[in-house]
Amino acid sequence: MKLIIAIVQKEDANKLQHAFVKESIPVTKLSTTGGFLSEGNTTFMIGVDEQRVKKVLRIIKDESKAREEYMNPNMMMTGFDVSRQPVKITVGGATCFVLSVEEFKKF
Ligand code: 2BA
């Protein structure tokens, strides 16, 4: 068994959740925050058999879009106030980790 951890933008989360439900893929959805932008994103935990990993990753890829955002560098991030120009950042589509599961139990 594998555990897929997928971090997606919150704009894509509902569509992705519906796609998982449609395909009977069990997921847990967590509200999370990106460490760099401090903006809300969504993390899905998906436990599946190895044979379904490719399919799950395909669904995530299809439903997750990359988006451009602008952030204002501030003193906290740069250490000193060298620039107030907004910086363009490309966020996403999805950041995925695929982990091997040692044991899986339901009680
Ligand atoms: P954030 O940490 O808020 O990062 C948002 C976007 O900011 C990133 O998009 C990336 O384009 C940029 N970014 C992040 N750290 C940076 C840095 N030190 N310098 C310059 N730009 C930086 P993504 O790479 O698509 O990541 C989207 C979200 O996925 C991240 O939100 C974070 O929540 C998660 N993530 C990405 N890589 C991760 C990793 N290796 N481990 C854990 N979570 C990760």
Side-chain angles (χ1 to χ4, degrees), residues 57-68:
L57 292 177
R58 166 62 57 190
I59 292 170
I60 295 168
K61 192 175 175 195
D62 287 350
E63 302 294 346
S64 308
K65 291 185 182 58
R67 294 181 180 84
E68 288 184 341

Side-chain angles (χ1 to χ4, degrees), residues 9-107:
Q9 292 179 71
K10 53 183 188 308
E11 292 85 346
D12 296 323
N14 281 345
K15 254 177 72 185
L16 186 52
Q17 185 181 354
H18 289 135
F20 288 140
V21 170
K22 198 172 146 218
E23 296 292 338
S24 303
I25 295 165
V27 301
T28 294
K29 186 179 166 193
L30 307 167
S31 294
T32 46
T33 304
F36 189 67
L37 292 180
S38 283
E39 284 186 4
N41 53 25
T42 301
T43 299
F44 287 95
M45 292 199 312
I46 311 137
V48 283
D49 290 334
E50 218 156 326
Q51 306 91 280
R52 294 184 87 190
V53 168
K54 267 194 182 161
K55 180 175 186 165
V56 172
L57 292 177
R58 166 62 57 190
I59 292 170
I60 295 168
K61 192 175 175 195
D62 287 350
E63 302 294 346
S64 308
K65 291 185 182 58
R67 294 181 180 84
E68 288 184 341
E69 292 199 18
Y70 288 85
M71 65 166 295
N72 287 303
N74 60 31
M75 286 176 75
M76 255 174 65
M77 299 187 81
T78 59
F80 45 91
D81 196 6
V82 286
S83 165
R84 286 258 158 215
Q85 294 282 37
V87 177
K88 188 161 86 175
I89 290 186
T90 304
V91 186
T95 301
C96 300
F97 301 87
V98 182
L99 291 77
S100 293
V101 175
E102 200 168 307
E103 233 180 313
F104 173 66
K105 290 201 188 303
K106 278 183 172 178
F107 297 107

